[in-house]
Amino acid sequence: MKIYTKTGDNGTTSLFGGTRVPKHHIRIDSYGTVDELNSWLGLIAGQEIPEKYKDELQTIQKKLFTVGAILATEPQKATLKNGQERLNIERIGSDDIVSLEMSMDSMDEELPQMTHFILPGGHPAVSYCHIARTVCRRAERKTTILYENEPFDTNVLTYLNRLSDYLFVLARKLSMDLGVKEIKWIPEKRD
């Protein structure tokens, strides 16, 4: 099987269910941004970081494939003519959200209290976390636009929201683990 199909040469692509839409459609933009996020997570997991976080990131990457599949399926085509669901996969559930929260709580227990905004950076792994966090926020913005027009399971929105928080806490935890000093943003006062 060849990787190229030539069916998208006219600027359209196919959703699950066969509907063709422009490649700039908000649905494509949504799951495309989730795909971009997934790639950044792979880059973070490839850094010299504790195995625990590599394992968590791989689990999250799998969940993001599920998110992408949900976003690539039009609600009106989610159910087949025989009554079965088009996507025969485990969905994003409240347990997935709780898992992110528990991981954040565990990391947060070891971190100093935050008193100021922190400048992103200090180490490549930390910077990649911050880039992934901002891509996650963009994915969240895109999916909320899609949700306003064609609602889907709200657990997807919640998962992306929690994931951006997770990536921020992971950046802080990796800073601590790697001995990187967090640089606080302290705005200069006007005279």
Side-chain angles (χ1 to χ4, degrees):
M1 180 174 139
K2 292 184 179 183
I3 193 71
Y4 58 91
T5 63
K6 300 184 183 181
T7 58
D9 291 353
N10 66 351
T12 64
T13 192
S14 232
L15 301 173
F16 287 156
T19 303
R20 293 203 66 82
V21 296
K23 290 186 177 186
H24 63 269
H25 190 281
I26 188 61
R27 185 172 295 285
I28 307 307
D29 210 5
S30 295
Y31 72 72
T33 306
V34 168
D35 188 34
E36 180 184 353
L37 170 61
N38 206 333
S39 296
W40 282 107
L41 296 186
L43 183 61
I44 298 166
Q47 303 301 301
E48 294 298 320
I49 62 174
E51 284 298 317
K52 173 185 177 179
Y53 302 121
K54 290 180 183 226
D55 292 343
E56 283 183 2
L57 288 167
Q58 188 172 78
T59 297
I60 293 166
Q61 285 185 288
K62 292 174 184 177
K63 297 297 177 185
L64 288 179
F65 266 96
T66 299
V67 168
I70 292 166
L71 296 175
T73 306
E74 294 175 288
Q76 63 270 28
K77 298 235 177 152
T79 305
L80 299 170
K81 290 179 183 176
N82 65 8
Q84 293 181 333
E85 289 186 38
R86 180 171 300 282
L87 296 177
N88 187 19
I89 59 174
E90 194 69 35
R91 301 307 168 103
I92 301 297
S94 57
D95 55 325
D96 298 314
I97 296 160
V98 168
S99 178
L100 289 175
E101 292 171 346
M102 289 173 58
S103 181
M104 281 187 282
D105 291 345
S106 174
M107 288 186 282
D108 233 1
E109 287 176 3
E110 298 179 44
L111 295 171
Q113 184 175 1
M114 227 177 83
T115 57
H116 293 82
F117 285 109
I118 301 166
L119 297 181
H123 187 279
V126 174
S127 295
Y128 294 145
C129 285
H130 283 293
I131 292 169
R133 172 185 56 81
T134 62
V135 172
C136 189
R137 288 290 190 204
R138 180 164 28 97
E140 187 180 6
R141 290 190 301 272
K142 301 286 185 186
T143 57
T144 57
I145 294 169
L146 177 60
Y147 182 81
E148 282 181 2
N149 295 295
E150 296 183 48
F152 47 84
D153 184 354
T154 57
N155 279 335
V156 169
L157 296 174
T158 305
Y159 189 79
L160 289 173
N161 186 16
R162 212 64 86 248
L163 179 54
S164 62
D165 295 334
Y166 167 89
L167 290 166
F168 178 76
V169 176
L170 180 60
R172 292 198 69 216
K173 182 67 169 79
L174 290 178
S175 287
M176 188 179 88
D177 291 351
L178 295 166
V180 175
K181 183 181 181 215
E182 290 182 331
I183 301 171
K184 297 176 184 177
W185 176 63
I186 302 172
E188 294 181 22
K189 305 278 187 204
R190 285 196 234 182
D191 292 333

